[in-house]
Amino acid sequence: MAATKIIDAPRNGHEMAPLNTRARGDGTHGVTIVLTAPQRNSVQSVDIPGNEPERAAWSGKMQFFLSIIGYSVGLGNIWRFPYLCQQNGGGAFLIPFMVMLILEGIPLFLIELGMGQRMRLGALGVWNTIHPWLGGIGISSCIVTLFVALYYNVIITWVFFYLFNSFRYPLPWSSCPLNGTGFELEECAKSSETTYFWYRTTLDAAPSMDEPGGLKWWIVLCLMLSWTIVFFIVMKGIQSSGKVVYFTSLFPYIVLTIFFIRGITLRGAGAGLMHMYTPKVEKLLEPTVWLDAATQVFYSFGLAFGSLIAFGSYNTPKNNCVRDVLLVSVCNAVTAIYASVVIFAILGFKATVNVDRCVASNTDILVKNKLLGLNDTQGYEQAMSLLNGTELTRLQLSECSLAHELDNAAEGTGLAFIVFTQAIVELPGAPFWAVLFFTMLLSLGLGSQIGILEGMLCTLFDIDIIKRVKKQHVTGVVCLFCFIVGFIFCTGAGEYWLKMFDSFAGTIGLVVVALMEMIAVIFIYGHERFTEDIFQMTGYRPGRYWQWTWRYIGPVIMVCILVSSVVFMVIRNPTYGAWNADLGMIEQKSYPNWVMGIALSMILAGVLPMPIVFLMRSFQCLKVDLDIHQGSIRRNETTASTKEMIDNDDDNMSPDMPPQDSLAATRFTIGDFEN
């Protein structure tokens, strides 16, 4: 029998097939058989991509659950949801919030968590596995996540600064500093103690983005501390961060409960809660209310960052991800409502104290002008009702309204660092409550930042060349890079830059990524296949609710959010609030053209990788490195004109393929058998 030659096939699969027996000139015929791996993306007969032995895994169910809670429940639950409730119909806002939670948040949550668990890969690996043309989704997600990580850690930096100052007695924001003549500084007197401490002491705010001023060394040191702590938490992935989540996830609930018990016993707490949760049903007719609800649900879950995919990839293949999604969703919604109760109970107390001070100040003015008797506390309302608008202005009397005070509740940094700090000053033992509050914010911020970085790093480790580098080194380089870029937030215009990043870097890009994720899984990977995946992993087969929200309702909501975001961005001239030291107040300014150019560049950087990768791979300008292989056995008659044609999708062997599968890429040239 003729000798059998075994020739290892090159990995690229595009080489010309050798000419067989006719080329050897012996007149015999041979058969060339090419074996490639079976199709990896079929539902029934495949090994799960990325299921390599060294894949990190959660040490227990509780660690996974707390990590998801710590990531999903963040600062937005504390300082954005209460504000949205107040502005969008009070208790009536819970209706659109719950509707959007059910129709948008939960279905997309399951897609990300389920695909991560099924593929056991990061965002880049998952979308490459579904189809090589979709690899840009993972890249876009990573870029947008980087932008968000840059400014999110700056918030943690400010929390550190306030936390360190909370150990002083009295609190440094409880009174205005004095000038050389013994009077309050004019800038502080025109604003308030907490506002002055935020804009002048903490930020040393610049008048505009065109005049940023130099670096503020105290902010630089706190930023360095923030990134150092984050590095040590995430440097070994979930092996290190998984231990920290027990604190970052549970401690905020302990503090919220302490504040709840204290808050409901304060004078005016009931008024604050009534103001917030009194339903204004007519608000539900406004489309912007529903848009705000959809946007809040989208960002409160941390969708499209790649973090949920990464967290799911560390689960066992048989983990019940449907149950996890439902539990986390309920916990997220309940936490947002619970935090709102705590916040507005204390803000009601603050508003009551301010009204009492306002009444006392007006009373002194009325007594001085002999419009009210010295001890006539009962005639205040009657005396005020007798004055017209001109007289009120002439006497410089203020409007003392509880509703007016509560309507001025801010969102974001204004709520945390100005409004709530003023409420804390009024509490007995103010430094204790300040330490508790800012430690809670620190825990919430770190929990979300851990998840954000984990999603980005997991995506990076899907790249072969980075897999060869130690995880600590890659994490260190990423944190150092973010720290250096973060210097832009350490100038006098730092808050203005953070507002710009928050408005542009993490909005349109994330919504586009989320929309493409849903399209990729439901219409390219296939909703039937994904349904079968969920069934194989959990034993539960998603029914009509999931099918309708995945295929129709979810994409429509995503498109509405995307279109409205773009329209509002174009119609409304984007502005930022700049601190005017002379007036002691915020004034709105338009972004400079060069800043808008940077904003547009960030949006494009987060969106363009998707069409670029699509075009480059569809025109074969970019090497395809996939975990998808189409199984085939081809028989070619060995004539001089025969060429071995290999499908374009068979370019590379999977790096995750076990050693025994390597035989599937071996070419056997078998000669004629001799008797």
Side-chain angles (χ1 to χ4, degrees), residues 217-229:
W217 62 267
W218 57 94
I219 300 295
V220 173
L221 291 179
C222 289
L223 182 65
M224 182 172 64
L225 175 64
S226 300
W227 278 113
T228 302
I229 291 176

Side-chain angles (χ1 to χ4, degrees), residues 315-564:
N315 275 328
T316 58
K318 293 298 182 181
N319 175 66
N320 193 336
C321 54
V322 177
R323 181 184 58 196
D324 294 339
V325 166
L326 296 178
L327 286 175
V328 172
S329 301
V330 171
C331 186
N332 196 325
V334 170
T335 302
I337 297 173
Y338 185 37
S340 301
V341 171
V342 174
I343 295 297
F344 267 85
I346 294 179
L347 291 185
F349 164 70
K350 187 210 73 155
T352 302
V353 171
N354 286 349
V355 168
D356 290 345
R357 287 179 177 175
C358 178
V359 170
S361 175
N362 286 350
T363 300
D364 289 341
I365 295 175
L366 292 174
V367 169
K368 288 180 181 179
N369 288 273
K370 299 181 180 180
L371 297 175
L372 186 66
L374 183 61
N375 298 318
D376 186 9
T377 57
Q378 302 295 325
Y380 171 78
E381 294 292 340
Q382 182 179 1
M384 290 292 293
S385 63
L386 295 176
L387 299 175
N388 56 36
T390 303
E391 293 173 322
L392 290 174
T393 304
R394 179 179 62 83
L395 296 173
Q396 296 183 340
L397 295 171
S398 303
E399 179 186 359
C400 304
S401 167
L402 188 63
H404 175 73
E405 290 287 340
L406 289 170
D407 283 337
N408 289 332
E411 66 168 330
T413 54
L415 174 62
F417 299 116
I418 297 177
V419 177
F420 207 82
T421 51
Q422 183 183 351
I424 288 175
V425 168
E426 306 296 338
L427 296 173
F432 168 76
W433 298 106
V435 170
L436 271 185
F437 177 69
F438 289 111
T439 306
M440 178 186 70
L441 291 187
L442 181 63
S443 302
L444 290 169
L446 285 175
S448 297
Q449 182 73 352
I450 290 170
I452 290 171
L453 275 184
E454 188 61 48
M456 182 173 64
L457 292 171
C458 188
T459 302
L460 292 177
F461 284 113
D462 284 341
I463 303 173
D464 285 337
I465 192 172
I466 296 182
K467 285 182 179 178
R468 304 167 189 171
V469 185
K470 285 187 176 181
K471 182 171 290 187
Q472 296 93 322
H473 296 165
V474 176
T475 305
V477 170
V478 170
C479 290
L480 180 61
F481 172 79
C482 292
F483 169 65
I484 294 174
V485 177
F487 282 172
I488 192 175
F489 302 106
C490 299
T491 64
E495 192 201 22
Y496 313 152
W497 280 106
L498 186 140
K499 175 66 175 176
M500 191 274 283
F501 268 69
D502 188 43
S503 300
F504 298 101
T507 52
I508 293 179
L510 284 177
V511 178
V512 173
V513 169
L515 178 61
M516 292 305 300
E517 285 181 355
M518 190 167 280
I519 292 174
V521 173
I522 302 306
F523 299 103
I524 299 177
Y525 185 76
H527 67 92
E528 300 94 343
R529 177 175 294 168
F530 184 60
T531 300
E532 185 66 24
D533 287 343
I534 297 297
F535 176 71
Q536 289 187 0
M537 291 188 293
T538 67
Y540 166 77
R541 189 178 299 277
R544 292 184 179 179
Y545 157 71
W546 299 101
Q547 303 299 332
W548 278 82
T549 52
W550 284 337
R551 297 166 64 185
Y552 308 112
I553 302 176
V556 169
I557 294 176
M558 289 289 109
V559 170
C560 290
I561 295 177
L562 179 60
V563 171
S564 59

Side-chain angles (χ1 to χ4, degrees), residues 48 70 85 102 105 152 167 183 193 233 251 256 272 318 340 359 363 380 395 408 469 521 528 575 591 602 627 653:
I48 299 175
C85 275
I102 294 171
Y152 203 89
F167 289 96
F183 293 97
E193 300 87 349
I233 291 176
F251 184 74
L256 279 177
K318 293 298 182 181
S340 301
V359 170
T363 300
Y380 171 78
L395 296 173
N408 289 332
V469 185
V521 173
E528 300 94 343
T575 60
Y591 285 106
M602 290 193 299
D627 279 328
M653 294 300 298

